[in-house]
Amino acid sequence: MAGALSLFGALRRSFSKSSCKTVSVIDNKQLVLKPMLEKADVVSTSSSNSYRPRLSAISIEDAAAIKIQAHFRGHLARRAFRALRSLVKLQALVRGVCVRRQARIAVHCMQVLVRLQVRVRARQLLSSSGHANLS
C-alpha cells in the first residue's frame, strides 16, 4: 500500500508541476486541442516524407488518462531498468568470481609446469654430468 501511495504522490506532484504547452482548454465544452502529426499529401516534386501539424480535439478525461498512462509506463520502465541494473551487477559479481577462479587455476597449472621443467632440467644436468665423468 505504501508503494501505491508514493506512486499517487508522484503523479500528483508531476501534474501540479506540469508545463505542457501543447494542451489547452477551449470553450466550455471541455475539449482539449492537442497537436498531432498528419502526413501531408505527397507532391510529385518532393520525394521526402513531410509531415504537417494537425489539431485534434480530445476530452479532458482522455488527456488525463493519457498523462496517467504515460507516467505509469515511465514508472514501469524505471523499475525495469533498476531491476536490470541490479541483474547486471549480479552478473558482474558472478563473472568476477569465475574469472578469479580461472586465474587461480591457471597460476596453479603454471607452477606445476615450472616444477616439472625444473625436475627435467635437473635430470638432464645430472645425466650429462654423469656422462662427462665417465669419459
Side-chain angles (χ1 to χ4, degrees), residues 105-121:
I105 290 170
V107 167
H108 177 71
C109 290
M110 291 176 90
Q111 288 173 345
V112 168
L113 285 174
V114 167
R115 275 188 252 135
L116 184 64
Q117 285 177 341
V118 166
R119 281 185 186 172
V120 169
R121 185 68 179 144

Side-chain angles (χ1 to χ4, degrees), residues 17-19 28 41 50 55 63 71-74 107 112 127 130 132:
K17 294 179 185 176
S18 177
S19 64
N28 289 332
D41 297 328
S50 60
L55 294 179
H71 283 279
F72 185 67
R73 286 181 183 140
V107 167
V112 168
S127 66

Side-chain angles (χ1 to χ4, degrees), residues 1-101:
M1 186 68 180
L5 290 177
S6 65
L7 173 64
F8 289 127
L11 284 174
R12 188 176 59 245
R13 283 190 299 275
S14 68
F15 283 135
S16 65
K17 294 179 185 176
S18 177
S19 64
C20 186
K21 295 174 183 150
T22 60
V23 176
S24 60
V25 178
I26 59 168
D27 296 333
N28 289 332
K29 299 178 185 175
Q30 291 193 347
L31 292 178
V32 176
L33 283 179
K34 183 176 181 181
M36 299 177 73
L37 292 179
E38 178 183 78
K39 190 165 183 175
D41 297 328
V42 178
V43 181
S44 62
T45 59
S46 172
S47 63
S48 66
N49 289 339
S50 60
Y51 289 88
R52 65 173 180 226
R54 166 178 72 86
L55 294 179
S56 69
I58 59 173
S59 69
I60 291 178
E61 290 86 8
D62 289 340
I66 290 169
K67 204 168 203 182
I68 289 170
Q69 286 175 353
H71 283 279
F72 185 67
R73 286 181 183 140
H75 164 72
L76 290 179
R78 282 188 296 278
R79 193 168 70 182
F81 181 69
R82 277 195 300 268
L84 183 65
R85 194 171 51 193
S86 63
L87 180 66
V88 168
K89 287 181 181 178
L90 181 63
Q91 283 178 339
L93 178 73
V94 170
R95 286 182 181 152
V97 169
C98 291
V99 167
R100 283 191 291 276
R101 184 176 355 128

